[in-house]
Structure formats: structure tokens, C-alpha cells
Amino acid sequence: MRKFGMILIRLITVFCLPFFLINSAISAPSKAETEAQFRAWLARDLWPEAKAKGISRASFDSAFSGVKLNWKLPDLVAPGTKPTTPREQVQAEFGSPGKYFNEKTIGHVTAGGKARAAQHARTLAAIEKQYGVPGEILVAIWGRESGFGAVKIPHNAFEVLGTKAFMATRKDMFRAELLAALEIVQHGYIDAASMKSSWAGALGQPQFMPTSYIKHAVDFDGDGRRDIWNSEPDALASIANYLRLYGWQRGRDWGFEVNVPAGLSCALEGPDQGLKIADWAKMGVTRINGKPFPANELAGEGYLLMPAGRHGPAFIATPNFYVLKNYNMSDLYALFVGHAGDRIARGSGGFSQRWGDVGGMYRSDIAAMQKALQAKGYDVGKPDGLPGFKTRRSIGDWQAKQGQAATCFPEKALIGAIR
């Protein structure tokens, strides 16, 4: 009987294997077949929509002349396959936020920013007068995004955006960006062959996505073109216009490094828990440099910001900090720009408080911690393994309820403790 069973299994395997191979071939076409599907998609799907938006056939053909799928780009899902969670999202190590502020990098932006601030002083003053954004903030973003225009941006924008619009996990978003890129070419702001982008499709010295270019880019040098690729006045003014349209408050700073009294809870952090800066001062929060908060800031709203909890510097941020965050959707990015801007304008040094050597956990560890807190009713935001302010303050609240000193930051000792 056992011998008969083994024979039956072999027969099933022999007859079924071709069907598995056929199904696999159908569900996962070759790269050559996918390229053919891409060309068909351009012709039958994208072109009709582009035409309806006023894109000429000549502009469309110029944009996609010689363009092929770029299989080296991240976050792709080939037709016939299913998206998978990237390995790095669960196994990447989450380190100290202090690592973001590598002194070599921030020193380069600071030194380069001082030189450019002097070189473009008249232009920056004119831009600040019109848009209200200080020059040091503009050159800090410029330096961070493209090394003051020196960083090589090698990719064909239509190759990147076309690939991602056809087979990225966020196809709809990239389709909108691709159509905006075609609009840029149609209006003659730049020719298709010269439109280079990052691997994510960001353009020019400010690294705008095409839809952002359409909304925010300006012609500041008066030559009739919004040239964020080659014109430094246009690039800088476009950054300023972006920040203005996102709500930059003229005359206000981005924030201040502060001392937070030991008795004041770090769980007060967050843009949804703002107080007048005068009220923070009454609670014992003081500037790290010993100076009082500027008189013009006292009546304005401020927010406690502690990116590493009690393991690093603390700040009172203004609404302008969150305008900076819109540029890259990262607290650390906004803090980098604000801090570099201070060093460019005032010659100040690094942070007064030291960043602690915290971290060393996998994002999956932090995500498990977030889910455990969420199950207890805490609002941690999205349990994605990245400890934003909602996660940090939830940890602080949980620690306080357990009679522990609140640190407001994920630590290895908490992995098994929060259940």
C-alpha cells in the first residue's frame, strides 16, 4: 500500500508540474514581456489622458523617446506579482536620532551655506522681503537637498516616473507626477532630455516633485522661465514660495533649544499640545543659552519637541518648524534645517545637549511595542516601527503609570515589559 502511495505522489508531481510552471509563467512575465506591456500602457492608457490635458503628441513622444523601465528602482511590483514588505522595514536597525546630525554633513551645509549667504546676499534679501523666509533657512535647504546644486542628479525623469507610474506600489501618485512632468515640458520650462531627477523623481536644485514644481516654482530672475535646474535665484525663491504657501510666519523663528525641568513631563510633546511660549517659560522651560525668549515670540504658540525623549536635546518649536517638516515630512529633517540655519546666520555651534547612544533595536521591535501600547488604548499613530511624537509620549505616559522615570523613547528594556 505504501509503495502504491509513493507511485501516486510521483505521478501527481509529474503531471502537475507543467501546470505550476505554466501558471508561474503567466503570473510573472519576463522583463521583455513587461517592457512590451509598458509600451502598450504608454500608448493606450497614458497617452489619451495626457492628450486630454493638453499635451501635444510631439511633447509626449519626445519625453518617452528611448525610455525603458528602470528595474533598479526601489518599491516596484512587476505585473503578475504581489507586493511584499521590504526586508529593511522590519529588520532595519533603528538607531539614535543623533546619527542624523553627522557633523561632517551638517558642517558641510553650514560652511557652504555661509559662503552662499554672502555670495547671494542681495538676492536672499529680496526674496525675504517678498516671501518672508530668512535667507539662512533657504540656503540650509538648498545645501541639504542638492549640495547647493553641486550634487549630480543622474536619472532621466521620464524613465523614473514612467517606471513608477507603471509598476510601483503607489502607481496613482506617480501617474499624477508623470503627467505634471509632461506639462512642464509642454510649457517649455525645460526640454524632456534635460529633465533629470533623483531616483524618486524629484527635480532640480530644490528637489521638487513635478506637481510641486507646477504649484511652487517661480521665475525670480525675470527671464521668463521657472528654471530650478540652472538659475540660483529661481531655485531659492521657489523654496521660499513653497514655505510661504505652506504657512511660514514672517518674523518668527523656527524654534529654540531648551532645558526642560525634570519635573515637567516629556509626554507634553507634540504639535497638538501647543502653549504660548510665555506659558512654557512660566513652567520652567528656559533657553539653553541662558537668554530669554524673544519678546515677539512670547505670545506665539510653541510646541515641545524631544526627538530622543530624555536621551537628547529638547526644543520649543514654533509653527514654522512644522512648515519645514512639510518639505520632507521628518522631524529630524526640519530640525537639521533649522539648526543649520542658526549656525549659518549666527555662527553658533552644535547642540548644547548631547544625543544619547540609544536605539539598537529593529523596527519590528518598535512596531511590536507600538501595537502593545495601542492595545492598551494609547494613540501611537501608525505602528510602523518609527517612534514619532505620539509613540514617544505614549511610552512616557506608560512609564509614569508604572512608577518609572519617564524617558519618552523606546528602549530595549521595554520590549518585553510593555505587554
Side-chain angles (χ1 to χ4, degrees):
M1 187 70 179
R2 180 173 177 176
K3 185 175 180 181
F4 174 78
M6 293 299 294
I7 292 171
L8 182 61
I9 290 171
R10 288 172 184 165
L11 286 171
I12 291 172
T13 302
V14 169
F15 283 106
C16 289
L17 184 59
F19 293 101
F20 286 125
L21 293 175
I22 290 170
N23 286 336
S24 176
I26 292 172
S27 62
S30 68
K31 287 186 177 181
E33 291 170 329
T34 304
E35 288 283 357
Q37 292 177 12
F38 174 59
R39 303 311 303 184
W41 173 81
L42 288 175
R44 300 171 190 168
D45 189 336
L46 189 68
W47 163 241
E49 184 174 1
K51 182 180 180 181
K53 289 182 176 292
I55 308 301
S56 70
R57 186 78 224 193
S59 294
F60 190 88
D61 290 345
S62 173
F64 293 105
S65 176
V67 167
K68 295 183 178 180
L69 294 172
N70 185 337
W71 292 87
K72 295 180 181 179
L73 296 174
D75 197 33
L76 301 182
V77 183
T81 64
K82 294 181 179 180
T84 58
T85 301
R87 180 182 178 88
E88 62 267 18
Q89 285 190 10
V90 295
Q91 293 193 310
E93 185 176 294
F94 183 84
S96 167
K99 293 180 180 180
Y100 192 90
F101 302 96
N102 176 281
E103 185 57 34
K104 182 177 180 181
T105 302
I106 203 166
H108 172 76
V109 171
T110 300
K114 288 179 180 178
R116 269 71 174 189
Q119 179 185 353
H120 299 284
R122 290 182 63 183
T123 297
L124 290 169
I127 291 172
E128 182 171 4
K129 183 178 181 180
Q130 181 166 340
Y131 298 103
V133 184
E136 63 268 19
I137 292 294
L138 302 179
V139 294
I141 292 175
W142 185 26
R144 182 65 180 172
E145 291 296 328
S146 65
F148 311 104
V151 171
K152 291 183 179 180
I153 302 173
H155 299 290
N156 178 308
F158 290 100
E159 176 186 273
V160 170
L161 296 170
T163 299
K164 286 182 171 286
F166 180 64
M167 61 177 188
T169 55
R170 295 179 294 168
K171 290 190 290 188
D172 290 345
M173 185 199 87
F174 283 106
R175 184 187 183 99
E177 297 296 346
L178 180 57
L179 289 165
L182 287 167
E183 185 179 342
I184 292 170
V185 171
Q186 180 66 32
H187 285 299
Y189 297 130
I190 191 171
D191 63 273
S194 300
M195 192 186 290
K196 301 297 182 182
S197 78
S198 71
W199 61 265
L203 309 172
Q205 297 186 40
Q207 284 291 274
F208 282 173
M209 294 300 289
T211 53
S212 187
Y213 174 95
I214 296 294
K215 295 175 184 176
H216 306 118
V218 297
D219 170 25
F220 200 75
D221 62 13
D223 68 351
R225 298 173 63 235
R226 296 186 281 170
D227 187 0
I228 63 171
W229 294 271
N230 306 297
S231 169
E232 291 166 346
D234 286 6
L236 290 165
S238 295
I239 295 170
N241 189 45
Y242 179 102
L243 298 177
R244 179 185 68 86
L245 292 173
Y246 272 97
W248 184 273
Q249 295 183 6
R250 184 187 293 266
R252 293 205 68 182
D253 210 318
W254 68 269
F256 310 90
E257 187 179 356
V258 297
N259 289 306
V260 178
L264 191 65
S265 174
C266 52
L268 291 172
E269 182 184 9
D272 55 350
Q273 299 190 111
L275 298 170
K276 290 181 179 179
I277 290 182
D279 292 333
W280 287 112
K282 289 176 184 177
M283 295 164 69
V285 176
T286 59
R287 291 180 69 183
I288 204 80
N289 61 11
K291 296 179 180 180
F293 290 105
N296 69 303
E297 294 280 5
L298 293 175
E301 195 166 47
Y303 317 94
L304 183 61
L305 173 70
M306 301 180 75
R310 289 285 182 178
H311 299 295
F315 309 87
I316 293 296
T318 76
N320 285 343
F321 174 87
Y322 293 97
V323 174
L324 292 177
K325 183 176 176 178
N326 268 309
Y327 209 95
N328 198 290
M329 292 314 296
S330 163
D331 283 348
L332 297 183
Y333 175 89
L335 185 56
F336 183 103
V337 169
H339 178 64
D342 285 349
R343 290 171 67 163
I344 290 167
R346 305 180 184 109
S348 55
F351 298 109
S352 297
Q353 296 176 349
R354 176 180 162 273
W355 293 96
D357 186 20
V358 291
M361 291 181 291
Y362 290 123
R363 281 182 59 175
S364 55
D365 293 329
I366 298 172
M369 194 182 304
Q370 290 170 319
K371 291 174 182 176
L373 286 166
Q374 201 173 50
K376 294 177 181 296
Y378 291 94
D379 179 8
V380 298
K382 184 179 179 180
D384 56 4
L386 298 174
F389 73 89
K390 289 184 178 181
T391 296
R392 296 194 295 266
R393 71 189 185 193
S394 294
I395 289 172
D397 280 336
W398 181 88
Q399 289 171 318
K401 288 180 180 179
Q402 307 308 308
Q404 302 175 12
T407 62
C408 294
F409 200 75
E411 303 168 46
K412 288 183 179 179
L414 297 174
I415 293 175
I418 301 176
R419 298 178 182 275

